[in-house]
């Protein structure tokens, strides 16, 4: 959105989706444009909603964009912010009755009790820099413990909804928030199935190159693997993969997909 002079704030109206539709020159009013504020899992939630709308006959073609400018809300005096980055990724989804590929199942959950403010907006860690500006903050340890407890269960529920066993899954595309945390999540997921795991083989990572770009991390990671841009990772027709994310809210979601 447009940036207000001398601040990191963005105009919320018109919606970013409406501005994108305008820039793309899409005239059809039945093409409904709206923003999803769902924290880091926002892009994946868009995929879930596109799947639901398509299956309900409410949509034929959907454009899901995950875009983030965390540089606007990054506190340079907060070490939790050091890995934040800007990024964007998008996909187009369509219903195909002839293809065996596509979304096999999904799962989403929101935890908004004592977990609601684990990620929040607050002042700078440098008291001299504290002003009216708000920065993205987190209770790092609580976020880590929350994710480790809840994300593996959310992924398992998604696989159950898809009638898929974890042993059939080739790759797990998980939100690139923290490599140590993501590794621990995947290991705990495999323990739920009493299966061994080589995280380097099943869990592609690009955080060391692109950082944590919130909603953009999964689509950019998927794009890199699909195009063979990430060493030792590739996809083949028929592969079953999982997308999963966790973030502010606290929100969690997962999608099981056959390539």
């Amino acid at each position: 959105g447009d940036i207000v002079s001398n601040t990191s704030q963005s105009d919320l109206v018109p919606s970013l989706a409406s501005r994108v539709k305008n820039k793309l020159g899409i005239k059809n009013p039945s093409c409904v444009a709206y923003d999803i504020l769902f924290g880091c899992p926002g892009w994946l939630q868009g995929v879930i909603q596109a799947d639901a709308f398509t299956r309900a006959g409410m949509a034929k073609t959907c454009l899901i964009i995950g875009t983030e400018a965390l540089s606007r809300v990054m506190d340079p005096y907060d070490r939790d912010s050091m890995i934040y980055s800007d990024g964007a990724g998008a996909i187009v989804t369509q219903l195909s009755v002839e293809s065996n590929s596509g979304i096999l199942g999904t799962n989403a959950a929101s935890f908004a009790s004592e977990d609601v403010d684990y990620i929040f907006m607050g002042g700078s860690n440098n008291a001299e820099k504290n002003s009216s500006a708000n920065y993205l903050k987190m209770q790092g340890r609580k976020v880590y413990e929350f994710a480790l407890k809840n994300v593996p269960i959310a992924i398992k529920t998604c696989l159950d909804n898809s009638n898929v066993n974890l042993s059939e899954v080739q790759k797990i595309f998980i939100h690139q928030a923290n490599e140590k945390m993501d590794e621990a999540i995947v290991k705990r997921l495999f323990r739920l199935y009493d299966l061994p795991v080589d995280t380097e083989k099943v869990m592609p990572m690009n955080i060391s190159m692109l950082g944590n770009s919130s909603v953009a991390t999964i689509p950019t990671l998927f794009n890199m693997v699909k195009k063979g841009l990430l060493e030792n990772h590739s996809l083949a027709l028929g592969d079953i993969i999982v997308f999963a994310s966790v973030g502010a809210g606290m929100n969690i979601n997962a999608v099981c997909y056959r390539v």
Side-chain angles (χ1 to χ4, degrees):
D2 297 331
I3 303 299
V4 180
S5 179
N6 299 319
T7 77
S8 61
Q9 296 177 343
S10 170
D11 294 336
L12 294 178
V13 178
S15 72
L16 190 57
S18 293
R19 298 181 211 195
V20 170
K21 180 181 176 182
N22 176 269
K23 294 291 186 183
L24 292 175
I26 300 173
K27 303 292 186 182
N28 181 5
S30 295
C31 171
V32 179
Y34 65 98
D35 295 349
I36 298 176
L37 298 178
F38 203 72
C40 295
W43 177 82
L44 199 54
Q45 191 65 19
V47 173
I48 291 172
Q49 291 190 18
D51 180 58
F53 287 150
T54 303
R55 291 179 188 276
M58 296 172 62
K60 294 179 180 178
T61 303
C62 300
L63 170 64
I64 304 105
I65 302 171
T67 182
E68 198 72 77
L70 290 178
S71 58
R72 298 177 186 171
V73 291
M74 184 178 75
D75 180 6
Y77 302 96
D78 184 352
R79 68 178 184 177
D80 282 342
S81 297
M82 292 299 102
I83 208 165
Y84 291 157
S85 63
D86 299 343
I91 62 165
V92 174
T93 65
Q94 289 182 313
L95 178 65
S96 174
V97 294
E98 298 176 358
S99 173
N100 289 324
S101 63
I103 293 174
L104 304 178
T106 67
N107 181 43
S110 292
F111 298 78
S113 297
E114 67 276 3
D115 339 86
V116 71
D117 62 352
Y118 286 177
I119 299 174
F120 60 99
M121 301 300 291
S124 173
N125 283 18
N126 185 336
E128 295 180 3
K129 299 292 181 180
N130 256 329
S131 63
S132 58
N134 268 340
Y135 300 96
L136 187 63
K137 297 289 177 177
M138 71 172 72
Q139 300 181 54
R141 186 66 200 177
K142 289 189 175 181
V143 170
Y144 185 95
E145 292 170 350
F146 173 89
L148 200 56
K149 175 185 177 183
N150 294 293
V151 176
I153 296 171
I155 297 175
K156 186 178 185 305
T157 301
C158 173
L159 291 175
D160 290 344
N161 293 342
S162 310
N163 294 316
V164 168
N165 188 279
L166 184 61
S167 61
E168 303 172 72
V169 174
Q170 275 75 39
K171 300 288 180 187
I172 297 175
F173 292 82
I174 193 166
H175 164 51
Q176 309 286 284
N178 175 311
E179 187 164 2
K180 180 183 176 183
M181 183 178 80
D182 289 352
E183 193 173 83
I185 288 170
V186 170
K187 285 181 177 178
R188 186 165 290 194
L189 171 65
F190 274 77
R191 282 204 299 270
L192 292 177
Y193 290 82
D194 292 322
L195 291 173
V197 61
D198 180 348
T199 54
E200 289 188 9
K201 181 179 179 182
V202 76
M203 185 184 74
M205 297 292 293
N206 66 2
I207 191 170
S208 62
M209 292 175 275
L210 301 182
N212 174 2
S213 57
S214 186
V215 298
T217 64
I218 294 180
T220 53
L221 178 66
F222 181 55
N223 179 68
M224 289 183 73
V225 173
K226 192 175 180 184
K227 291 184 176 178
L229 301 176
L230 209 58
E231 192 175 356
N232 299 322
H233 289 285
S234 61
L235 291 173
L237 194 65
D239 281 356
I240 295 178
I241 61 178
V242 170
F243 303 101
S245 188
V246 58
M250 296 290 290
N251 296 312
I252 296 175
N253 52 24
V255 169
C256 183
Y257 176 79
R258 182 184 286 117
V259 178

